[in-house]
Amino acid sequence: MGDDDFSNSFNEFQNIEFDWVLSECCNSAQTAFAVLFFGYFILVWFFIRTIFMKPMRLIATFIHEMSHATACWMTGGRVTRIRVFENEGGVTHFIGGCRCMIIPAGYIGCAFWAMIFVIMSGNRVAATIAASVFSCSLFVALFFSPNKTMVILCLGYLIVTAAFIYIEWFYYSPILQFLTLFYGVSIGLSSVTDIRNDLVVRTVRGSDAYACYELIPCCFPKCIGLIWGVIAVSFQCLGFYIGLVWNGTKDGDIIFQLY
Protein backbone atom coordinates (compact mmCIF):
# COMPACT_ATOMS: atom_id res chain seq x y z
CA MET A 1 0.00 0.00 0.00
CA GLY A 2 1.17 3.55 -0.60
CA ASP A 3 0.37 6.82 -2.37
CA ASP A 4 -1.94 5.15 -4.92
CA ASP A 5 -4.02 3.59 -2.15
CA PHE A 6 -4.37 6.92 -0.37
CA SER A 7 -5.26 8.71 -3.62
CA ASN A 8 -7.91 6.13 -4.53
CA SER A 9 -9.39 6.18 -1.03
CA PHE A 10 -9.47 10.00 -1.05
CA ASN A 11 -11.29 10.04 -4.39
CA GLU A 12 -13.85 7.56 -3.05
CA PHE A 13 -14.16 9.71 0.08
CA GLN A 14 -15.09 12.75 -2.05
CA ASN A 15 -17.85 10.85 -3.88
CA ILE A 16 -19.72 9.49 -0.85
CA GLU A 17 -23.52 9.93 -0.87
CA PHE A 18 -25.20 10.06 2.56
CA ASP A 19 -28.60 8.74 3.64
CA TRP A 20 -29.36 11.23 6.42
CA VAL A 21 -32.78 9.75 7.23
CA LEU A 22 -31.32 6.23 7.59
CA SER A 23 -34.03 4.88 5.30
CA GLU A 24 -32.08 1.67 4.68
CA CYS A 25 -30.73 1.11 8.20
CA CYS A 26 -29.26 -1.19 9.18
CA ASN A 27 -26.90 -2.91 6.78
CA SER A 28 -23.97 -5.09 7.84
CA ALA A 29 -21.59 -2.15 8.15
CA GLN A 30 -24.01 -0.14 10.31
CA THR A 31 -24.71 -3.17 12.48
CA ALA A 32 -21.00 -3.80 12.99
CA PHE A 33 -20.43 -0.12 13.81
CA ALA A 34 -23.25 -0.14 16.37
CA VAL A 35 -22.02 -3.38 17.95
CA LEU A 36 -18.49 -2.00 18.24
CA PHE A 37 -19.70 1.35 19.58
CA PHE A 38 -21.82 -0.19 22.33
CA GLY A 39 -19.23 -2.91 22.95
CA TYR A 40 -16.61 -0.25 23.58
CA PHE A 41 -19.11 1.73 25.65
CA ILE A 42 -19.88 -1.21 27.94
CA LEU A 43 -16.19 -2.11 28.23
CA VAL A 44 -15.20 1.45 29.14
CA TRP A 45 -18.19 1.85 31.49
CA PHE A 46 -17.13 -1.13 33.60
CA PHE A 47 -13.40 -0.39 33.59
CA ILE A 48 -13.36 3.44 33.48
CA ARG A 49 -12.10 3.77 37.07
CA THR A 50 -9.60 0.92 36.94
CA ILE A 51 -5.88 1.14 36.36
CA PHE A 52 -6.35 -0.35 32.87
CA MET A 53 -8.19 2.79 31.72
CA LYS A 54 -5.88 5.29 33.43
CA PRO A 55 -4.02 6.10 30.17
CA MET A 56 -7.36 6.96 28.53
CA ARG A 57 -8.41 9.09 31.48
CA LEU A 58 -5.10 10.93 31.24
CA ILE A 59 -5.47 11.50 27.50
CA ALA A 60 -8.98 12.83 28.14
CA THR A 61 -7.39 15.32 30.55
CA PHE A 62 -4.86 16.21 27.85
CA ILE A 63 -7.61 16.91 25.33
CA HIS A 64 -9.44 18.95 27.99
CA GLU A 65 -6.35 21.15 28.45
CA MET A 66 -5.63 21.37 24.73
CA SER A 67 -9.21 22.54 24.22
CA HIS A 68 -8.57 25.37 26.68
CA ALA A 69 -5.37 26.19 24.77
CA THR A 70 -7.11 26.10 21.38
CA ALA A 71 -9.85 28.45 22.59
CA CYS A 72 -7.16 30.78 23.91
CA TRP A 73 -5.36 30.84 20.56
CA MET A 74 -8.62 31.32 18.68
CA THR A 75 -9.51 34.37 20.79
CA GLY A 76 -6.11 36.03 20.45
CA GLY A 77 -4.50 34.85 23.67
CA ARG A 78 -1.12 33.28 24.34
CA VAL A 79 -0.55 29.92 26.01
CA THR A 80 2.53 29.68 28.20
CA ARG A 81 2.23 26.22 29.77
CA ILE A 82 0.16 23.04 29.41
CA ARG A 83 0.44 20.32 32.03
CA VAL A 84 -1.24 17.02 32.88
CA PHE A 85 -0.72 15.42 36.28
CA GLU A 86 -0.67 11.79 37.37
CA ASN A 87 -3.76 12.36 39.53
CA GLU A 88 -5.64 13.09 36.25
CA GLY A 89 -5.76 16.81 36.87
CA GLY A 90 -4.38 19.38 34.50
CA VAL A 91 -3.72 23.07 34.05
CA THR A 92 -3.29 25.47 31.15
CA HIS A 93 -1.58 28.79 31.78
CA PHE A 94 -2.48 31.54 29.35
CA ILE A 95 -2.35 35.29 28.88
CA GLY A 96 -5.15 37.24 27.22
CA GLY A 97 -7.91 35.72 25.16
CA CYS A 98 -11.62 35.63 25.96
CA ARG A 99 -12.19 33.88 29.30
CA CYS A 100 -15.88 33.36 28.52
CA MET A 101 -14.77 31.17 25.60
CA ILE A 102 -11.67 29.61 27.15
CA ILE A 103 -13.20 28.34 30.41
CA PRO A 104 -16.08 26.27 28.92
CA ALA A 105 -13.80 24.94 26.18
CA GLY A 106 -12.24 22.32 28.46
CA TYR A 107 -15.18 19.98 29.11
CA ILE A 108 -17.14 20.92 26.00
CA GLY A 109 -14.06 20.67 23.79
CA CYS A 110 -13.19 17.24 25.16
CA ALA A 111 -16.71 15.97 24.39
CA PHE A 112 -16.60 17.61 20.96
CA TRP A 113 -13.33 15.95 19.94
CA ALA A 114 -14.63 12.61 21.23
CA MET A 115 -17.58 13.03 18.87
CA ILE A 116 -15.19 13.84 16.01
CA PHE A 117 -13.25 10.64 16.66
CA VAL A 118 -16.47 8.61 16.54
CA ILE A 119 -17.59 10.24 13.30
CA MET A 120 -14.20 9.99 11.60
CA SER A 121 -13.96 6.27 12.37
CA GLY A 122 -16.46 5.71 9.56
CA ASN A 123 -13.92 6.02 6.76
CA ARG A 124 -10.29 5.05 6.26
CA VAL A 125 -9.12 8.45 5.06
CA ALA A 126 -11.14 10.29 7.70
CA ALA A 127 -9.71 8.09 10.47
CA THR A 128 -6.22 8.80 9.16
CA ILE A 129 -6.90 12.54 9.21
CA ALA A 130 -8.27 12.37 12.77
CA ALA A 131 -5.31 10.31 13.98
CA SER A 132 -2.86 12.65 12.23
CA VAL A 133 -4.40 15.78 13.76
CA PHE A 134 -4.35 14.07 17.16
CA SER A 135 -0.68 13.17 16.70
CA CYS A 136 0.15 16.76 15.72
CA SER A 137 -1.56 18.10 18.85
CA LEU A 138 0.48 15.69 20.99
CA PHE A 139 3.66 16.92 19.32
CA VAL A 140 2.77 20.61 19.59
CA ALA A 141 1.94 20.27 23.30
CA LEU A 142 5.53 19.25 24.01
CA PHE A 143 6.63 22.82 23.29
CA PHE A 144 4.60 24.35 26.14
CA SER A 145 6.62 23.54 29.26
CA PRO A 146 5.15 20.07 29.84
CA ASN A 147 5.79 18.18 33.06
CA LYS A 148 7.17 14.62 33.17
CA THR A 149 3.74 12.94 33.13
CA MET A 150 2.66 14.89 30.08
CA VAL A 151 5.89 14.17 28.20
CA ILE A 152 5.46 10.42 28.77
CA LEU A 153 1.75 10.64 27.86
CA CYS A 154 2.32 12.59 24.65
CA LEU A 155 5.23 10.47 23.45
CA GLY A 156 3.42 7.23 24.30
CA TYR A 157 0.24 8.12 22.42
CA LEU A 158 2.21 9.67 19.58
CA ILE A 159 4.14 6.43 19.04
CA VAL A 160 1.04 4.21 19.33
CA THR A 161 -1.12 6.34 17.02
CA ALA A 162 1.65 6.78 14.44
CA ALA A 163 2.25 3.02 14.49
CA PHE A 164 -1.43 2.35 13.80
CA ILE A 165 -1.39 4.81 10.89
CA TYR A 166 1.66 3.07 9.42
CA ILE A 167 0.19 -0.41 9.85
CA GLU A 168 -3.12 0.74 8.33
CA TRP A 169 -1.56 1.99 5.09
CA PHE A 170 1.35 -0.41 4.63
CA TYR A 171 0.53 -3.72 6.31
CA TYR A 172 -3.06 -4.37 7.35
CA SER A 173 -6.42 -2.68 6.93
CA PRO A 174 -8.76 -2.04 8.67
CA ILE A 175 -7.20 -1.36 12.05
CA LEU A 176 -6.88 2.41 12.46
CA GLN A 177 -10.65 2.95 12.37
CA PHE A 178 -11.13 0.62 15.32
CA LEU A 179 -8.57 2.59 17.33
CA THR A 180 -10.21 5.90 16.35
CA LEU A 181 -13.63 4.66 17.44
CA PHE A 182 -12.19 3.43 20.74
CA TYR A 183 -10.60 6.84 21.32
CA GLY A 184 -13.94 8.54 20.65
CA VAL A 185 -16.04 6.33 22.91
CA SER A 186 -13.61 6.23 25.83
CA ILE A 187 -12.77 9.94 25.76
CA GLY A 188 -16.45 10.85 25.38
CA LEU A 189 -17.50 8.67 28.32
CA SER A 190 -14.63 10.03 30.41
CA SER A 191 -15.81 13.56 29.65
CA VAL A 192 -19.41 12.79 30.67
CA THR A 193 -18.40 11.03 33.92
CA ASP A 194 -15.96 13.81 34.82
CA ILE A 195 -18.67 16.44 34.35
CA ARG A 196 -21.07 14.42 36.50
CA ASN A 197 -18.58 13.71 39.29
CA ASP A 198 -16.78 17.07 39.38
CA LEU A 199 -19.46 19.59 38.41
CA VAL A 200 -22.94 18.16 38.98
CA VAL A 201 -22.65 15.95 42.06
CA ARG A 202 -20.48 18.46 43.92
CA THR A 203 -19.22 22.01 43.66
CA VAL A 204 -15.44 22.43 43.67
CA ARG A 205 -13.80 25.81 44.05
CA GLY A 206 -11.33 26.21 41.23
CA SER A 207 -13.29 24.06 38.79
CA ASP A 208 -14.19 25.35 35.33
CA ALA A 209 -17.85 25.59 36.33
CA TYR A 210 -16.98 27.63 39.40
CA ALA A 211 -14.78 29.90 37.27
CA CYS A 212 -17.79 30.48 34.99
CA TYR A 213 -19.89 31.25 38.05
CA GLU A 214 -17.35 33.89 39.10
CA LEU A 215 -17.60 35.47 35.65
CA ILE A 216 -21.40 35.23 35.50
CA PRO A 217 -22.75 35.05 39.10
CA CYS A 218 -26.32 34.29 37.99
CA CYS A 219 -25.19 30.89 36.65
CA PHE A 220 -24.66 28.52 39.57
CA PRO A 221 -21.81 25.96 39.19
CA LYS A 222 -24.06 22.87 39.31
CA CYS A 223 -26.39 24.37 36.71
CA ILE A 224 -23.43 25.05 34.46
CA GLY A 225 -22.22 21.48 35.01
CA LEU A 226 -25.66 20.14 34.11
CA ILE A 227 -25.74 22.17 30.89
CA TRP A 228 -22.28 20.97 29.93
CA GLY A 229 -23.31 17.40 30.74
CA VAL A 230 -26.30 17.62 28.40
CA ILE A 231 -24.04 19.01 25.67
CA ALA A 232 -21.49 16.22 26.20
CA VAL A 233 -24.14 13.49 25.99
CA SER A 234 -25.65 15.17 22.92
CA PHE A 235 -22.25 15.15 21.21
CA GLN A 236 -21.91 11.40 21.78
CA CYS A 237 -25.42 10.76 20.44
CA LEU A 238 -24.72 12.96 17.41
CA GLY A 239 -21.45 11.16 16.79
CA PHE A 240 -23.21 7.79 16.87
CA TYR A 241 -25.93 9.01 14.49
CA ILE A 242 -23.48 10.43 11.95
CA GLY A 243 -21.40 7.27 12.28
CA LEU A 244 -24.47 5.24 11.32
CA VAL A 245 -25.11 7.55 8.35
CA TRP A 246 -21.50 7.27 7.20
CA ASN A 247 -21.51 3.47 7.41
CA GLY A 248 -24.79 3.38 5.48
CA THR A 249 -23.14 4.77 2.35
CA LYS A 250 -22.52 2.67 -0.73
CA ASP A 251 -18.89 3.74 -0.66
CA GLY A 252 -16.42 0.98 -1.52
CA ASP A 253 -14.30 1.94 1.48
CA ILE A 254 -16.76 1.01 4.22
CA ILE A 255 -14.66 -0.46 6.97
CA PHE A 256 -17.12 -2.05 9.35
CA GLN A 257 -18.06 -4.93 7.11
CA LEU A 258 -19.24 -8.26 8.51
CA TYR A 259 -18.05 -11.25 6.54
Side-chain angles (χ1 to χ4, degrees):
M1 295 185 181
D3 294 338
D4 290 340
D5 296 292
F6 186 86
S7 178
N8 292 335
S9 294
F10 186 76
N11 289 334
E12 292 173 352
F13 173 71
Q14 290 180 307
N15 296 324
I16 296 175
E17 295 182 0
F18 297 102
D19 175 18
W20 293 106
V21 297
L22 297 174
S23 59
E24 299 181 4
C25 186
C26 292
N27 59 28
S28 62
Q30 290 170 317
T31 301
F33 170 77
V35 168
L36 279 171
F37 181 92
F38 287 109
Y40 284 153
F41 184 90
I42 293 170
L43 181 69
V44 174
W45 178 269
F46 280 106
F47 291 98
I48 188 67
R49 291 302 168 189
T50 67
I51 192 172
F52 302 107
M53 289 298 297
K54 188 174 181 67
M56 291 309 304
R57 297 198 303 271
L58 287 173
I59 205 63
T61 302
F62 166 80
I63 294 177
H64 176 113
E65 299 305 328
M66 278 300 292
S67 297
H68 282 309
T70 302
C72 178
W73 290 322
M74 290 177 65
T75 57
R78 180 167 65 91
V79 176
T80 59
R81 179 178 295 176
I82 305 172
R83 294 191 170 186
V84 173
F85 304 110
E86 191 174 351
N87 66 357
E88 299 167 30
V91 61
T92 300
H93 296 274
F94 61 90
I95 299 172
C98 177
R99 286 177 59 84
C100 289
M101 297 289 291
I102 297 170
I103 293 172
Y107 287 105
I108 294 177
C110 187
F112 173 80
W113 288 113
M115 176 189 70
I116 295 299
F117 275 125
V118 172
I119 294 172
M120 300 291 264
S121 71
N123 178 275
R124 189 184 187 198
V125 173
T128 303
I129 293 171
S132 299
V133 171
F134 178 52
S135 298
C136 288
S137 69
L138 292 166
F139 180 73
V140 168
L142 293 173
F143 292 91
F144 290 90
S145 303
N147 56 332
K148 181 180 178 180
T149 299
M150 185 162 162
V151 170
I152 295 173
L153 183 72
C154 289
L155 290 178
Y157 271 93
L158 185 57
I159 292 170
V160 169
T161 306
F164 270 78
I165 295 174
Y166 184 79
I167 293 171
E168 170 70 32
W169 287 97
F170 294 98
Y171 285 99
Y172 179 80
S173 177
I175 187 171
L176 181 61
Q177 295 91 329
F178 299 117
L179 178 69
T180 305
L181 181 60
F182 178 73
Y183 280 173
V185 174
S186 57
I187 293 169
L189 188 54
S190 293
S191 176
V192 172
T193 55
D194 285 345
I195 290 172
R196 176 189 177 276
N197 295 336
D198 298 339
L199 306 182
V200 177
V201 174
R202 57 180 179 154
T203 298
V204 180
R205 283 183 175 271
S207 68
D208 291 349
Y210 198 88
C212 279
Y213 167 69
E214 291 178 328
L215 283 177
I216 311 173
C218 63
C219 297
F220 296 104
K222 287 188 176 182
C223 292
I224 293 172
L226 184 61
I227 293 170
W228 290 354
V230 171
I231 293 173
V233 171
S234 298
F235 277 152
Q236 279 292 287
C237 293
L238 181 60
F240 177 71
Y241 163 70
I242 297 179
L244 279 179
V245 171
W246 199 314
N247 282 283
T249 64
K250 294 180 174 61
D251 176 26
D253 186 34
I254 297 173
I255 61 134
F256 293 115
Q257 292 286 0
L258 294 175
Y259 295 100

